[in-house]
Every structure is written in C-alpha cells, then in structure tokens.
Amino acid sequence: QVQLVESGGGLVQAGGSLRLSCVASGRPFGSYAMGWFRQAPGKEREFVATMSRRGGITYFAGSVKGRFTISRDNAKSTVYLQMNSLKPEDTAIYYCAAASTSLLSTPTGENEYGDWGQGTQVTVSS
C-alpha cells in the first residue's frame, strides 16, 4: 500500500495555470504507474492522465490533451500535473492514484488503481 497526498489546487481564472503535486510514501514509488483523475460536482470521476513507472510513457484524456502534462520524479516520490490554458469545465476535485502494474503500463481505468489520495480542489473562474 502507498499513501498519497495531493497539493497545489486553488482558484484560477480561465486561461491560467496550476501545477498539482502528489507525494507518495510507504512503498517504492517506482513500482507504480501514477494517474490523475478528477470529479466535477454532480459527475462521475473521470480519467485525466497517466504515466508509466519510469516516466517514459504517458496518456491523456482527450479533453486535456495538449493543455496538461504529467511528470514524475521518482527520487522525490512525487508526480505532478501541470495544467495550462485552464477552462471553467476543468473545475473539479483532482485525485492522484497509484497502480501496481507492469513497467510499461499506463492504466486509465479507476479499478486499475489501488491507492488514492484525498483530492485537491481546482476551481477555474470564467
């Protein structure tokens, strides 16, 4: 099991940027593919981005591709989500998650992730 703590959320105007961080502890960080999900009010949680265990492979939801990037620093046990050109529809609680999976895997399904953070609120005003 790995413990995850997100930070970096906040209120930003449309067109602005935020960088979310997620620090992991408990088990070797490099054993996990890392993902970001989000849940907007009244909606189901949805996949945002994922990165393979060593960071060489990424995958993004179509709604954020080209605007968001995901990165990780395995030495710091941290995964980041850089969000640019934010839109009001990006408003949600953002969660990071860890998947114990194969080296090159980039899981996109919630049920592939076994550990979750508590979430951080991102609000984009128009």
Side-chain angles (χ1 to χ4, degrees):
Q1 187 177 9
V2 63
Q3 292 76 46
L4 303 170
V5 178
E6 303 98 332
S7 62
L11 174 64
V12 64
Q13 289 188 333
S17 298
L18 281 175
R19 188 176 82 155
L20 306 183
S21 300
C22 173
V23 179
S25 61
R27 295 194 68 180
F29 187 62
S31 300
Y32 297 90
M34 297 300 296
W36 287 94
F37 290 75
R38 68 186 182 185
Q39 187 168 21
K43 296 187 177 181
E44 294 187 351
R45 190 157 55 184
E46 65 176 3
F47 165 77
V48 175
T50 182
M51 174 168 267
S52 60
R53 285 167 51 184
R54 293 183 181 172
I57 305 171
T58 59
Y59 187 78
F60 296 89
S63 58
V64 306
K65 195 172 185 179
R67 300 188 297 122
F68 290 12
T69 57
I70 185 172
S71 60
R72 64 189 293 165
D73 185 337
N74 282 5
K76 295 182 178 179
S77 298
T78 302
V79 61
Y80 305 96
L81 185 69
Q82 178 67 44
M83 305 185 294
N84 299 327
S85 301
L86 281 161
K87 305 175 182 180
E89 51 263 43
D90 294 317
T91 295
I93 299 174
Y94 283 72
Y95 300 89
C96 73
S100 180
T101 186
S102 60
L103 192 61
L104 303 180
S105 179
T106 49
T108 61
E110 279 191 58
N111 59 358
E112 298 179 88
Y113 289 84
D115 297 288
W116 294 80
Q118 82 289 348
T120 186
Q121 177 70 48
V122 171
T123 302
V124 184
S125 64
S126 57

